[in-house]
Amino acid sequence: MSAPAGSTRPAPVGSRPAAAPGGPPRPPRLPVEYVLPLHRTDDDGLDELTGYLRALCRLVEVTVVDGSPPPVFARHAAHWHGLLRHLPPDPAVHGLNGKVRGVLTGVAAARHEHVVIADDDVRYTEAELRVVHRLLDTVDLVRPQNYFDPLPWHAWWDTGRTLLNRAFGVDWPGTLAVRRSTFRAMGGYDPDVLFENLELVRTVRAYGGTEASPAWLYVRRLPPTAAHFRGQRVRQAYDDLARPARLLVALAVLPAVVAASVARRPGLLAVGAAGAVALAEIGRRRAGGTAVFPPGTALAAPFWLLERGLCGWLAVARRVGPGGVRYAGRRVRRPAHSVRTLRRRMAPVEPGELTRWVRADPAARGR
């Protein structure tokens, strides 16, 4: 069930910078917990992240659940001492997906009902946090929209995916927001899947919770490195195994291109590319998207479709071959469960417990 949140605010959020320093005094911090699941092997970008977290701590409570190797964890602890709450993943939490283990730990330890979960490349402003906080008064889960800034070539390329998704609905961001009581009452979500955001949304739906997916709520995201982008192509295509209709479309792209090429019908290829660009432009213009998606980003859609067509076949080969894809050093087979499966699996959970995945509540620790 989805709340009709898109009709409550016509103007986009995320296209304007935060208030300049030296302005009027800020109001007290919002009653919101910001949970950042983290795993890093080096200190690249640490100063920039620390600056963001320092600004964030003036707005909300911040908990970083840090699964980094011990030397990196120790440097983070020294860097953030006195600034925020810095926890290791709860050893009682088990599962293949380290990010989900961090989320389960962080939500269990959260001090507020409203919890924002965000990757380390997501950059909220005060305005966006206030909108999320307000939406969580009426729904159980909020799914904002991300946009890349700055926009190197590989972020431009991936924006083609974002715009196509927006043409048919909304895109999948690197951040979600949930009510802590709902999250705990439904028992958390499965940490043995690859597409963890889809799994969380589907678990909320299976539980009977409500969600808002405002297409106008834009939250900035830093682009990955080009090397990281290249390494994620098949892994992201593997996510489509949890969405059979999307997978079939992706698998049809390469045969269609080959058939048109063999038949010497370049006009068909041109029509297909133009259609993809037109759809992406619809997504770009939707809900004030032109404020954050620059002109020309729709041109990336045909290139992304070709990539997904190839990587979709490689993802299927990974599923039937080695039985999954490598993620953070571990092999994960299942991208996500269906809502029907989650409803069958869901058992009554005692209030305040994450009984399936967490055997000890860390809420009393690290305050």
Side-chain angles (χ1 to χ4, degrees):
M1 231 175 356
S2 297
S7 62
T8 63
R9 186 183 178 97
V13 175
S15 57
R16 297 179 297 276
R26 291 184 179 273
R29 285 195 293 185
L30 295 171
V32 172
E33 190 83 31
Y34 190 99
V35 172
L36 169 58
L38 185 69
H39 183 278
R40 291 193 169 190
T41 57
D42 55 44
D43 294 332
D44 288 350
L46 180 59
D47 289 340
E48 190 279 335
L49 176 61
T50 300
Y52 169 66
L53 293 175
R54 183 174 290 110
L56 199 61
C57 286
R58 293 195 288 267
L59 304 173
V60 295
E61 304 272 11
V62 178
T63 294
V64 176
V65 183
D66 193 350
S68 303
V72 180
F73 182 95
R75 291 197 294 272
H76 290 169
H79 220 65
W80 298 330
H81 179 70
L83 177 64
L84 50 80
R85 185 167 61 172
H86 182 228
L87 303 174
D90 190 335
V93 181
H94 56 94
L96 296 174
N97 192 313
K99 177 182 173 181
V100 179
R101 296 199 307 273
V103 172
L104 289 167
T105 300
V107 176
R111 295 155 287 193
H112 296 288
E113 167 70 355
H114 293 178
V115 181
V116 173
I117 302 163
D119 293 345
D120 63 347
D121 57 0
V122 172
R123 297 293 178 266
Y124 274 90
T125 67
E126 180 179 359
E128 295 144 20
L129 287 169
R130 288 188 176 279
V131 171
V132 169
H133 175 50
R134 186 169 68 246
L135 290 173
L136 283 175
D137 284 336
T138 57
V139 298
D140 297 291
L141 181 141
V142 178
R143 176 164 36 141
Q145 298 287 274
N146 281 149
Y147 65 97
F148 287 118
D149 182 21
L151 197 70
W153 72 266
H154 53 284
W156 171 85
W157 183 293
D158 206 35
T159 299
R161 166 192 59 83
T162 298
L163 300 182
L164 287 173
N165 284 340
R166 285 174 54 80
F168 294 99
V170 287
D171 189 39
W172 285 95
T175 178
L176 295 171
V178 296
R179 288 185 184 179
R180 182 176 185 267
S181 58
T182 302
F183 188 95
R184 291 171 64 83
M186 72 188 191
Y189 64 124
D190 194 335
D192 289 327
V193 301
L194 187 66
F195 196 170
E196 75 286 340
N197 281 348
L198 177 61
E199 184 77 4
L200 176 52
V201 169
R202 285 181 173 178
T203 304
V204 170
R205 292 173 183 169
Y207 180 72
T210 55
E211 63 178 282
S213 301
W216 43 262
L217 179 55
Y218 300 108
V219 180
R220 179 179 172 231
R221 191 172 192 178
L222 302 180
T225 64
H228 184 77
F229 169 81
R230 287 191 293 267
Q232 292 292 300
R233 307 334 298 149
V234 176
R235 190 207 69 75
Q236 290 186 3
Y238 196 89
D239 291 341
D240 281 347
L241 271 67
R243 298 174 291 179
R246 287 177 60 97
L247 178 63
L248 290 175
V249 171
L251 295 180
V253 169
L254 211 55
V257 170
V258 171
S261 300
V262 170
R264 298 182 180 179
R265 300 287 299 275
L268 291 178
L269 296 177
V271 169
V277 171
L279 284 173
E281 184 63 19
I282 291 172
R284 189 179 84 88
R285 294 174 180 270
R286 184 178 175 215
T290 55
V292 295
F293 301 115
T297 48
L299 297 175
F303 300 99
W304 181 83
L305 276 176
L306 282 173
E307 172 221 302
R308 182 51 58 94
L310 172 61
C311 292
W313 285 102
L314 295 176
V316 171
R318 296 281 179 88
R319 178 62 180 262
V320 300
V325 294
R326 303 290 295 181
Y327 176 71
R330 310 178 81 170
R331 189 170 295 281
V332 183
R333 178 177 177 82
R334 185 178 298 278
H337 294 93
S338 67
V339 174
R340 180 178 300 179
T341 298
L342 290 169
R343 284 180 180 142
R344 287 199 305 263
R345 291 176 54 182
M346 195 166 285
V349 179
E350 291 297 324
E353 291 187 4
L354 300 176
T355 55
R356 186 175 294 117
W357 316 119
V358 181
R359 293 185 294 272
D361 184 353
R365 299 199 298 274
R367 290 186 182 274

PDB file of all heavy atoms in Angstrom, residues 219-247:
ATOM      1  N   VAL A 219      17.618  13.771  -3.143  1.00  0.00           N
ATOM      2  CA  VAL A 219      18.736  13.775  -2.209  1.00  0.00           C
ATOM      3  C   VAL A 219      20.012  13.533  -3.003  1.00  0.00           C
ATOM      4  O   VAL A 219      20.107  12.559  -3.756  1.00  0.00           O
ATOM      5  CB  VAL A 219      18.569  12.694  -1.119  1.00  0.00           C
ATOM      6  CG1 VAL A 219      19.750  12.729  -0.151  1.00  0.00           C
ATOM      7  CG2 VAL A 219      17.257  12.891  -0.364  1.00  0.00           C
ATOM      8  N   ARG A 220      20.974  14.390  -2.825  1.00  0.00           N
ATOM      9  CA  ARG A 220      22.225  14.309  -3.574  1.00  0.00           C
ATOM     10  C   ARG A 220      23.011  13.047  -3.209  1.00  0.00           C
ATOM     11  O   ARG A 220      22.998  12.594  -2.067  1.00  0.00           O
ATOM     12  CB  ARG A 220      23.070  15.549  -3.284  1.00  0.00           C
ATOM     13  CG  ARG A 220      24.420  15.580  -3.973  1.00  0.00           C
ATOM     14  CD  ARG A 220      25.146  16.870  -3.620  1.00  0.00           C
ATOM     15  NE  ARG A 220      26.510  16.842  -4.121  1.00  0.00           N
ATOM     16  CZ  ARG A 220      27.582  17.105  -3.389  1.00  0.00           C
ATOM     17  NH1 ARG A 220      27.458  17.402  -2.098  1.00  0.00           N
ATOM     18  NH2 ARG A 220      28.779  17.077  -3.924  1.00  0.00           N
ATOM     19  N   ARG A 221      23.695  12.527  -4.218  1.00  0.00           N
ATOM     20  CA  ARG A 221      24.556  11.358  -4.012  1.00  0.00           C
ATOM     21  C   ARG A 221      25.888  11.598  -4.724  1.00  0.00           C
ATOM     22  O   ARG A 221      25.905  12.068  -5.871  1.00  0.00           O
ATOM     23  CB  ARG A 221      23.884  10.102  -4.566  1.00  0.00           C
ATOM     24  CG  ARG A 221      24.580   8.801  -4.173  1.00  0.00           C
ATOM     25  CD  ARG A 221      23.754   7.596  -4.584  1.00  0.00           C
ATOM     26  NE  ARG A 221      24.276   6.387  -3.966  1.00  0.00           N
ATOM     27  CZ  ARG A 221      23.733   5.181  -4.106  1.00  0.00           C
ATOM     28  NH1 ARG A 221      22.642   5.036  -4.850  1.00  0.00           N
ATOM     29  NH2 ARG A 221      24.262   4.137  -3.504  1.00  0.00           N
ATOM     30  N   LEU A 222      26.983  11.288  -4.054  1.00  0.00           N
ATOM     31  CA  LEU A 222      28.293  11.408  -4.679  1.00  0.00           C
ATOM     32  C   LEU A 222      28.509  10.230  -5.633  1.00  0.00           C
ATOM     33  O   LEU A 222      28.122   9.103  -5.323  1.00  0.00           O
ATOM     34  CB  LEU A 222      29.392  11.417  -3.621  1.00  0.00           C
ATOM     35  CG  LEU A 222      29.320  12.512  -2.557  1.00  0.00           C
ATOM     36  CD1 LEU A 222      30.494  12.369  -1.589  1.00  0.00           C
ATOM     37  CD2 LEU A 222      29.312  13.895  -3.188  1.00  0.00           C
ATOM     38  N   PRO A 223      29.115  10.456  -6.772  1.00  0.00           N
ATOM     39  CA  PRO A 223      29.346   9.343  -7.697  1.00  0.00           C
ATOM     40  C   PRO A 223      30.449   8.425  -7.180  1.00  0.00           C
ATOM     41  O   PRO A 223      31.357   8.869  -6.464  1.00  0.00           O
ATOM     42  CB  PRO A 223      29.780  10.048  -8.989  1.00  0.00           C
ATOM     43  CG  PRO A 223      30.403  11.321  -8.514  1.00  0.00           C
ATOM     44  CD  PRO A 223      29.606  11.746  -7.306  1.00  0.00           C
ATOM     45  N   PRO A 224      30.408   7.147  -7.532  1.00  0.00           N
ATOM     46  CA  PRO A 224      31.503   6.248  -7.179  1.00  0.00           C
ATOM     47  C   PRO A 224      32.707   6.525  -8.072  1.00  0.00           C
ATOM     48  O   PRO A 224      32.635   7.322  -9.014  1.00  0.00           O
ATOM     49  CB  PRO A 224      30.914   4.859  -7.464  1.00  0.00           C
ATOM     50  CG  PRO A 224      29.968   5.114  -8.599  1.00  0.00           C
ATOM     51  CD  PRO A 224      29.373   6.477  -8.344  1.00  0.00           C
ATOM     52  N   THR A 225      33.807   5.872  -7.791  1.00  0.00           N
ATOM     53  CA  THR A 225      34.929   5.933  -8.713  1.00  0.00           C
ATOM     54  C   THR A 225      34.572   5.148  -9.969  1.00  0.00           C
ATOM     55  O   THR A 225      33.690   4.281  -9.948  1.00  0.00           O
ATOM     56  CB  THR A 225      36.190   5.331  -8.088  1.00  0.00           C
ATOM     57  OG1 THR A 225      35.964   3.932  -7.839  1.00  0.00           O
ATOM     58  CG2 THR A 225      36.541   6.031  -6.773  1.00  0.00           C
ATOM     59  N   ALA A 226      35.268   5.437 -11.060  1.00  0.00           N
ATOM     60  CA  ALA A 226      35.004   4.718 -12.309  1.00  0.00           C
ATOM     61  C   ALA A 226      35.283   3.230 -12.140  1.00  0.00           C
ATOM     62  O   ALA A 226      34.561   2.385 -12.686  1.00  0.00           O
ATOM     63  CB  ALA A 226      35.845   5.307 -13.439  1.00  0.00           C
ATOM     64  N   ALA A 227      36.323   2.893 -11.371  1.00  0.00           N
ATOM     65  CA  ALA A 227      36.655   1.482 -11.160  1.00  0.00           C
ATOM     66  C   ALA A 227      35.550   0.772 -10.392  1.00  0.00           C
ATOM     67  O   ALA A 227      35.180  -0.362 -10.712  1.00  0.00           O
ATOM     68  CB  ALA A 227      37.986   1.362 -10.415  1.00  0.00           C
ATOM     69  N   HIS A 228      35.010   1.430  -9.369  1.00  0.00           N
ATOM     70  CA  HIS A 228      33.919   0.827  -8.600  1.00  0.00           C
ATOM     71  C   HIS A 228      32.679   0.666  -9.481  1.00  0.00           C
ATOM     72  O   HIS A 228      31.997  -0.362  -9.413  1.00  0.00           O
ATOM     73  CB  HIS A 228      33.595   1.699  -7.392  1.00  0.00           C
ATOM     74  CG  HIS A 228      32.545   1.123  -6.492  1.00  0.00           C
ATOM     75  ND1 HIS A 228      32.803   0.109  -5.607  1.00  0.00           N
ATOM     76  CD2 HIS A 228      31.223   1.425  -6.352  1.00  0.00           C
ATOM     77  CE1 HIS A 228      31.688  -0.198  -4.950  1.00  0.00           C
ATOM     78  NE2 HIS A 228      30.722   0.577  -5.392  1.00  0.00           N
ATOM     79  N   PHE A 229      32.410   1.667 -10.303  1.00  0.00           N
ATOM     80  CA  PHE A 229      31.278   1.592 -11.220  1.00  0.00           C
ATOM     81  C   PHE A 229      31.401   0.376 -12.136  1.00  0.00           C
ATOM     82  O   PHE A 229      30.453  -0.394 -12.307  1.00  0.00           O
ATOM     83  CB  PHE A 229      31.209   2.885 -12.043  1.00  0.00           C
ATOM     84  CG  PHE A 229      30.252   2.839 -13.197  1.00  0.00           C
ATOM     85  CD1 PHE A 229      28.895   3.031 -13.002  1.00  0.00           C
ATOM     86  CD2 PHE A 229      30.710   2.612 -14.488  1.00  0.00           C
ATOM     87  CE1 PHE A 229      28.006   2.990 -14.070  1.00  0.00           C
ATOM     88  CE2 PHE A 229      29.834   2.568 -15.556  1.00  0.00           C
ATOM     89  CZ  PHE A 229      28.486   2.759 -15.342  1.00  0.00           C
ATOM     90  N   ARG A 230      32.585   0.195 -12.730  1.00  0.00           N
ATOM     91  CA  ARG A 230      32.773  -0.942 -13.635  1.00  0.00           C
ATOM     92  C   ARG A 230      32.587  -2.270 -12.907  1.00  0.00           C
ATOM     93  O   ARG A 230      32.015  -3.218 -13.459  1.00  0.00           O
ATOM     94  CB  ARG A 230      34.155  -0.866 -14.278  1.00  0.00           C
ATOM     95  CG  ARG A 230      34.285   0.234 -15.330  1.00  0.00           C
ATOM     96  CD  ARG A 230      35.580   0.079 -16.106  1.00  0.00           C
ATOM     97  NE  ARG A 230      36.752   0.310 -15.263  1.00  0.00           N
ATOM     98  CZ  ARG A 230      37.349   1.487 -15.138  1.00  0.00           C
ATOM     99  NH1 ARG A 230      36.893   2.552 -15.791  1.00  0.00           N
ATOM    100  NH2 ARG A 230      38.404   1.621 -14.364  1.00  0.00           N
ATOM    101  N   GLY A 231      33.035  -2.334 -11.670  1.00  0.00           N
ATOM    102  CA  GLY A 231      32.934  -3.581 -10.919  1.00  0.00           C
ATOM    103  C   GLY A 231      31.536  -3.936 -10.480  1.00  0.00           C
ATOM    104  O   GLY A 231      31.288  -5.072 -10.052  1.00  0.00           O
ATOM    105  N   GLN A 232      30.596  -2.982 -10.569  1.00  0.00           N
ATOM    106  CA  GLN A 232      29.234  -3.211 -10.096  1.00  0.00           C
ATOM    107  C   GLN A 232      28.249  -3.578 -11.199  1.00  0.00           C
ATOM    108  O   GLN A 232      27.082  -3.817 -10.925  1.00  0.00           O
ATOM    109  CB  GLN A 232      28.724  -1.947  -9.399  1.00  0.00           C
ATOM    110  CG  GLN A 232      29.427  -1.621  -8.109  1.00  0.00           C
ATOM    111  CD  GLN A 232      29.117  -2.625  -7.025  1.00  0.00           C
ATOM    112  OE1 GLN A 232      27.976  -2.804  -6.648  1.00  0.00           O
ATOM    113  NE2 GLN A 232      30.140  -3.285  -6.528  1.00  0.00           N
ATOM    114  N   ARG A 233      28.692  -3.635 -12.457  1.00  0.00           N
ATOM    115  CA  ARG A 233      27.727  -3.779 -13.539  1.00  0.00           C
ATOM    116  C   ARG A 233      26.967  -5.098 -13.490  1.00  0.00           C
ATOM    117  O   ARG A 233      25.744  -5.128 -13.583  1.00  0.00           O
ATOM    118  CB  ARG A 233      28.392  -3.613 -14.915  1.00  0.00           C
ATOM    119  CG  ARG A 233      29.227  -2.376 -15.175  1.00  0.00           C
ATOM    120  CD  ARG A 233      28.859  -1.171 -14.351  1.00  0.00           C
ATOM    121  NE  ARG A 233      27.504  -0.687 -14.580  1.00  0.00           N
ATOM    122  CZ  ARG A 233      26.776  -0.094 -13.659  1.00  0.00           C
ATOM    123  NH1 ARG A 233      27.223   0.086 -12.439  1.00  0.00           N
ATOM    124  NH2 ARG A 233      25.570   0.322 -13.946  1.00  0.00           N
ATOM    125  N   VAL A 234      27.654  -6.215 -13.377  1.00  0.00           N
ATOM    126  CA  VAL A 234      26.957  -7.505 -13.339  1.00  0.00           C
ATOM    127  C   VAL A 234      26.212  -7.665 -12.020  1.00  0.00           C
ATOM    128  O   VAL A 234      25.091  -8.195 -11.987  1.00  0.00           O
ATOM    129  CB  VAL A 234      27.942  -8.664 -13.565  1.00  0.00           C
ATOM    130  CG1 VAL A 234      27.230 -10.008 -13.435  1.00  0.00           C
ATOM    131  CG2 VAL A 234      28.593  -8.543 -14.946  1.00  0.00           C
ATOM    132  N   ARG A 235      26.808  -7.194 -10.925  1.00  0.00           N
ATOM    133  CA  ARG A 235      26.143  -7.316  -9.633  1.00  0.00           C
ATOM    134  C   ARG A 235      24.805  -6.588  -9.634  1.00  0.00           C
ATOM    135  O   ARG A 235      23.807  -7.093  -9.121  1.00  0.00           O
ATOM    136  CB  ARG A 235      27.043  -6.760  -8.525  1.00  0.00           C
ATOM    137  CG  ARG A 235      26.504  -7.093  -7.124  1.00  0.00           C
ATOM    138  CD  ARG A 235      26.926  -6.092  -6.107  1.00  0.00           C
ATOM    139  NE  ARG A 235      26.304  -4.803  -6.282  1.00  0.00           N
ATOM    140  CZ  ARG A 235      25.051  -4.520  -5.979  1.00  0.00           C
ATOM    141  NH1 ARG A 235      24.234  -5.468  -5.524  1.00  0.00           N
ATOM    142  NH2 ARG A 235      24.557  -3.322  -6.168  1.00  0.00           N
ATOM    143  N   GLN A 236      24.749  -5.391 -10.205  1.00  0.00           N
ATOM    144  CA  GLN A 236      23.478  -4.675 -10.246  1.00  0.00           C
ATOM    145  C   GLN A 236      22.481  -5.337 -11.193  1.00  0.00           C
ATOM    146  O   GLN A 236      21.279  -5.338 -10.927  1.00  0.00           O
ATOM    147  CB  GLN A 236      23.720  -3.218 -10.638  1.00  0.00           C
ATOM    148  CG  GLN A 236      24.427  -2.424  -9.545  1.00  0.00           C
ATOM    149  CD  GLN A 236      24.533  -0.954  -9.873  1.00  0.00           C
ATOM    150  OE1 GLN A 236      24.041  -0.484 -10.892  1.00  0.00           O
ATOM    151  NE2 GLN A 236      25.197  -0.204  -8.995  1.00  0.00           N
ATOM    152  N   ALA A 237      22.980  -5.912 -12.293  1.00  0.00           N
ATOM    153  CA  ALA A 237      22.078  -6.645 -13.193  1.00  0.00           C
ATOM    154  C   ALA A 237      21.498  -7.867 -12.496  1.00  0.00           C
ATOM    155  O   ALA A 237      20.358  -8.271 -12.777  1.00  0.00           O
ATOM    156  CB  ALA A 237      22.821  -7.054 -14.463  1.00  0.00           C
ATOM    157  N   TYR A 238      22.255  -8.446 -11.584  1.00  0.00           N
ATOM    158  CA  TYR A 238      21.789  -9.628 -10.843  1.00  0.00           C
ATOM    159  C   TYR A 238      20.544  -9.300 -10.019  1.00  0.00           C
ATOM    160  O   TYR A 238      19.705 -10.177  -9.775  1.00  0.00           O
ATOM    161  CB  TYR A 238      22.911 -10.129  -9.941  1.00  0.00           C
ATOM    162  CG  TYR A 238      22.732 -11.538  -9.415  1.00  0.00           C
ATOM    163  CD1 TYR A 238      23.204 -12.625 -10.128  1.00  0.00           C
ATOM    164  CD2 TYR A 238      22.105 -11.766  -8.191  1.00  0.00           C
ATOM    165  CE1 TYR A 238      23.047 -13.917  -9.638  1.00  0.00           C
ATOM    166  CE2 TYR A 238      21.942 -13.051  -7.700  1.00  0.00           C
ATOM    167  CZ  TYR A 238      22.416 -14.127  -8.430  1.00  0.00           C
ATOM    168  OH  TYR A 238      22.255 -15.409  -7.951  1.00  0.00           O
ATOM    169  N   ASP A 239      20.414  -8.034  -9.606  1.00  0.00           N
ATOM    170  CA  ASP A 239      19.231  -7.632  -8.837  1.00  0.00           C
ATOM    171  C   ASP A 239      17.933  -7.907  -9.596  1.00  0.00           C
ATOM    172  O   ASP A 239      16.890  -8.153  -8.989  1.00  0.00           O
ATOM    173  CB  ASP A 239      19.297  -6.142  -8.496  1.00  0.00           C
ATOM    174  CG  ASP A 239      20.378  -5.808  -7.488  1.00  0.00           C
ATOM    175  OD1 ASP A 239      20.838  -6.722  -6.783  1.00  0.00           O
ATOM    176  OD2 ASP A 239      20.768  -4.625  -7.409  1.00  0.00           O
ATOM    177  N   ASP A 240      18.009  -7.846 -10.935  1.00  0.00           N
ATOM    178  CA  ASP A 240      16.792  -8.029 -11.727  1.00  0.00           C
ATOM    179  C   ASP A 240      16.254  -9.452 -11.659  1.00  0.00           C
ATOM    180  O   ASP A 240      15.110  -9.690 -12.089  1.00  0.00           O
ATOM    181  CB  ASP A 240      17.046  -7.645 -13.186  1.00  0.00           C
ATOM    182  CG  ASP A 240      17.014  -6.140 -13.403  1.00  0.00           C
ATOM    183  OD1 ASP A 240      16.558  -5.427 -12.494  1.00  0.00           O
ATOM    184  OD2 ASP A 240      17.451  -5.683 -14.476  1.00  0.00           O
ATOM    185  N   LEU A 241      17.024 -10.389 -11.140  1.00  0.00           N
ATOM    186  CA  LEU A 241      16.491 -11.737 -10.961  1.00  0.00           C
ATOM    187  C   LEU A 241      15.335 -11.748  -9.960  1.00  0.00           C
ATOM    188  O   LEU A 241      14.520 -12.670  -9.958  1.00  0.00           O
ATOM    189  CB  LEU A 241      17.583 -12.700 -10.491  1.00  0.00           C
ATOM    190  CG  LEU A 241      18.375 -13.403 -11.613  1.00  0.00           C
ATOM    191  CD1 LEU A 241      19.225 -12.420 -12.396  1.00  0.00           C
ATOM    192  CD2 LEU A 241      19.265 -14.502 -11.036  1.00  0.00           C
ATOM    193  N   ALA A 242      15.257 -10.713  -9.136  1.00  0.00           N
ATOM    194  CA  ALA A 242      14.142 -10.591  -8.193  1.00  0.00           C
ATOM    195  C   ALA A 242      12.934  -9.915  -8.826  1.00  0.00           C
ATOM    196  O   ALA A 242      11.870  -9.826  -8.206  1.00  0.00           O
ATOM    197  CB  ALA A 242      14.571  -9.802  -6.957  1.00  0.00           C
ATOM    198  N   ARG A 243      13.100  -9.420 -10.099  1.00  0.00           N
ATOM    199  CA  ARG A 243      12.010  -8.740 -10.795  1.00  0.00           C
ATOM    200  C   ARG A 243      11.925  -9.329 -12.203  1.00  0.00           C
ATOM    201  O   ARG A 243      12.514  -8.796 -13.148  1.00  0.00           O
ATOM    202  CB  ARG A 243      12.286  -7.235 -10.834  1.00  0.00           C
ATOM    203  CG  ARG A 243      12.348  -6.607  -9.439  1.00  0.00           C
ATOM    204  CD  ARG A 243      12.767  -5.158  -9.475  1.00  0.00           C
ATOM    205  NE  ARG A 243      14.157  -5.006  -9.879  1.00  0.00           N
ATOM    206  CZ  ARG A 243      14.767  -3.821 -10.005  1.00  0.00           C
ATOM    207  NH1 ARG A 243      14.080  -2.710  -9.782  1.00  0.00           N
ATOM    208  NH2 ARG A 243      16.037  -3.746 -10.363  1.00  0.00           N
ATOM    209  N   PRO A 244      11.222 -10.451 -12.348  1.00  0.00           N
ATOM    210  CA  PRO A 244      11.244 -11.211 -13.603  1.00  0.00           C
ATOM    211  C   PRO A 244      10.861 -10.405 -14.836  1.00  0.00           C
ATOM    212  O   PRO A 244      11.454 -10.593 -15.905  1.00  0.00           O
ATOM    213  CB  PRO A 244      10.246 -12.340 -13.345  1.00  0.00           C
ATOM    214  CG  PRO A 244      10.225 -12.501 -11.854  1.00  0.00           C
ATOM    215  CD  PRO A 244      10.430 -11.132 -11.305  1.00  0.00           C
ATOM    216  N   ALA A 245       9.885  -9.507 -14.738  1.00  0.00           N
ATOM    217  CA  ALA A 245       9.476  -8.729 -15.913  1.00  0.00           C
ATOM    218  C   ALA A 245      10.621  -7.851 -16.409  1.00  0.00           C
ATOM    219  O   ALA A 245      10.897  -7.769 -17.614  1.00  0.00           O
ATOM    220  CB  ALA A 245       8.253  -7.885 -15.581  1.00  0.00           C
ATOM    221  N   ARG A 246      11.311  -7.202 -15.493  1.00  0.00           N
ATOM    222  CA  ARG A 246      12.460  -6.371 -15.872  1.00  0.00           C
ATOM    223  C   ARG A 246      13.569  -7.231 -16.461  1.00  0.00           C
ATOM    224  O   ARG A 246      14.246  -6.828 -17.414  1.00  0.00           O
ATOM    225  CB  ARG A 246      12.976  -5.604 -14.657  1.00  0.00           C
ATOM    226  CG  ARG A 246      12.095  -4.470 -14.207  1.00  0.00           C
ATOM    227  CD  ARG A 246      12.675  -3.838 -12.952  1.00  0.00           C
ATOM    228  NE  ARG A 246      14.005  -3.324 -13.210  1.00  0.00           N
ATOM    229  CZ  ARG A 246      14.274  -2.048 -13.507  1.00  0.00           C
ATOM    230  NH1 ARG A 246      13.301  -1.168 -13.612  1.00  0.00           N
ATOM    231  NH2 ARG A 246      15.506  -1.653 -13.709  1.00  0.00           N
ATOM    232  N   LEU A 247      13.765  -8.402 -15.885  1.00  0.00           N
ATOM    233  CA  LEU A 247      14.812  -9.292 -16.385  1.00  0.00           C
ATOM    234  C   LEU A 247      14.517  -9.714 -17.822  1.00  0.00           C
ATOM    235  O   LEU A 247      15.427  -9.731 -18.671  1.00  0.00           O
ATOM    236  CB  LEU A 247      14.932 -10.516 -15.481  1.00  0.00           C
ATOM    237  CG  LEU A 247      15.966 -11.561 -15.918  1.00  0.00           C
ATOM    238  CD1 LEU A 247      17.374 -10.970 -15.895  1.00  0.00           C
ATOM    239  CD2 LEU A 247      15.892 -12.802 -15.027  1.00  0.00           C
TER     240      LEU A 247
END
